[in-house]
Amino acid sequence: MAKYLLLKHYRGAPAPANDVPMDRWTPQEISAHVQYMHDFAARLERTGEFVDGQALAPEGTWVRYDGEGRPPVTDGPFAETKDLIAGWMVIDVDSHERAVELAGELSAAPGAGGEPIHEWLELRPLLAAPPTITD
């Protein structure tokens, strides 16, 4: 089994077919979208392919270590991931092909008008072990 991250973006990816921002959806459209995501995760839980998934809140802070005895530094000149990343799901599947198949299904979550979004999802394998260092 191999684990993959399915990363949902607010922007930064190619535009989806149903390119209406969620803040312009009706409450019913949002509910249908959330229900689709819940049902998708529940189905993968039954097959043993679901690891975890979360929607992300829009708030966030960049933090980094700033040296001994100094408080951490927050924020900076970085891309705001809170504007880019909407949420994620980790799956554990038998093959890359299965990961692609599931990402395609997740991409079809309904959006405005109840029509599938056909959003682009970033599919990334998780490292099974730390990379080896060669001299």
Side-chain angles (χ1 to χ4, degrees):
M1 300 284 279
K3 291 183 178 147
Y4 288 85
L5 173 69
L6 302 173
L7 192 58
K8 294 175 66 69
H9 292 269
Y10 284 122
R11 58 176 199 205
N18 186 354
D19 195 18
V20 177
M22 188 179 258
D23 63 359
R24 295 197 342 230
W25 295 3
T26 67
Q28 295 82 9
E29 291 166 342
I30 292 171
S31 292
H33 181 81
V34 170
Q35 188 64 52
Y36 182 96
M37 302 293 289
H38 175 75
D39 292 347
F40 183 82
R43 183 168 54 87
L44 295 186
E45 283 177 342
R46 289 190 298 275
T47 64
E49 296 173 304
F50 181 80
V51 175
D52 196 10
Q54 299 292 321
L56 298 175
E59 304 82 30
T61 304
W62 285 92
V63 178
R64 77 170 168 88
Y65 175 75
D66 198 35
E68 189 65 38
R70 299 167 88 177
V73 174
T74 59
D75 285 325
F78 308 108
E80 295 290 342
T81 57
K82 60 186 172 249
D83 293 336
L84 301 176
I85 301 171
W88 53 270
M89 182 179 287
V90 176
I91 57 174
D92 193 0
V93 294
D94 289 328
S95 66
H96 177 76
E97 291 76 20
R98 177 67 175 152
V100 169
E101 176 185 345
L102 292 175
E105 288 182 41
L106 189 58
S107 168
E115 295 297 318
I117 300 171
H118 296 291
E119 68 182 320
W120 289 92
L121 299 174
E122 186 175 353
L123 176 65
R124 297 185 60 184
L126 300 182
L127 292 175
T132 55
I133 300 173
T134 57
D135 292 327

